C-alpha cells in the first residue's frame, strides 16, 4: 500500500504583495500573490531570534531577507509593499526587500486607525 504523496506545486508569480506586520515584539513578512494566497513568509522567530532581540531592526532585516529569497525562488520580481504596525522593524524590512533584488513599486501604510469607534478603556 503506497500513500499518495502530495507534491509542492512551484508557481511562477511575477508580481506579488508583501505584507509586513511590525509589532513591538516581532516582525512578520508575508509574500502573497495578487489573490492573497501566501507564497513565502518569514519572521524574526523563524530566522532564529528569541526574546528581546526579536524586536530589533536587524531581526526584521533577516526576516525580510528570508521571505524575499523564498519568493524569488517562486519567480517573484516585482512587489507592492503594505506595512502594518508601529514596530521598530518597518523601515529596515522595506530596505532589505529592495536590497535583496526585488523591485519595490509602491509602499502603503495599512495600520488600522479608529475613526472614533469603541470607547477606549
Amino acid at each position: 500500500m503506497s500513500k499518495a504523496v502530495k507534491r509542492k506545486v512551484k508557481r511562477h508569480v511575477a508580481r506579488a504583495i508583501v505584507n509586513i506586520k511590525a509589532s513591538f515584539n516581532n516582525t512578520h513578512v508575508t509574500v502573497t500573490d495578487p489573490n492573497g494566497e501566501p507564497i513565502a513568509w518569514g519572521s524574526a522567530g523563524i530566522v532564529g531570534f528569541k526574546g528581546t532581540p526579536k524586536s530589533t531592526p536587524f531581526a526584521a532585516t533577516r526576516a525580510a531577507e528570508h521571505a524575499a529569497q523564498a519568493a524569488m525562488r517562486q519567480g517573484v520580481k516585482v512587489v507592492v509593499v503594505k506595512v502594518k504596525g508601529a514596530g521598530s522593524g518597518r523601515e529596515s524590512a522595506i530596505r532589505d526587500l529592495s536590497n535583496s533584488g526585488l523591485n519595490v513599486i509602491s509602499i502603503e501604510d495599512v495600520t488600522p486607525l479608529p475613526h472614533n469607534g469603541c470607547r477606549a478603556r
Side-chain angles (χ1 to χ4, degrees), residues 21-85:
K21 181 176 180 268
S23 68
F24 291 113
N25 295 322
N26 202 350
T27 303
H28 295 274
V29 180
T30 308
V31 183
T32 64
D33 63 6
N35 298 329
E37 296 290 323
I39 298 169
W41 56 88
S43 74
I46 290 175
V47 179
F49 291 91
K50 298 282 182 251
T52 308
K54 267 200 318 190
S55 59
T56 60
F58 180 66
T61 300
R62 298 293 304 272
E65 186 179 305
H66 182 268
Q69 294 301 321
M72 285 165 57
R73 282 194 295 267
Q74 298 282 340
V76 175
K77 292 182 177 65
V78 178
V79 293
V80 173
V81 179
K82 294 185 178 185
V83 187
K84 181 186 283 189

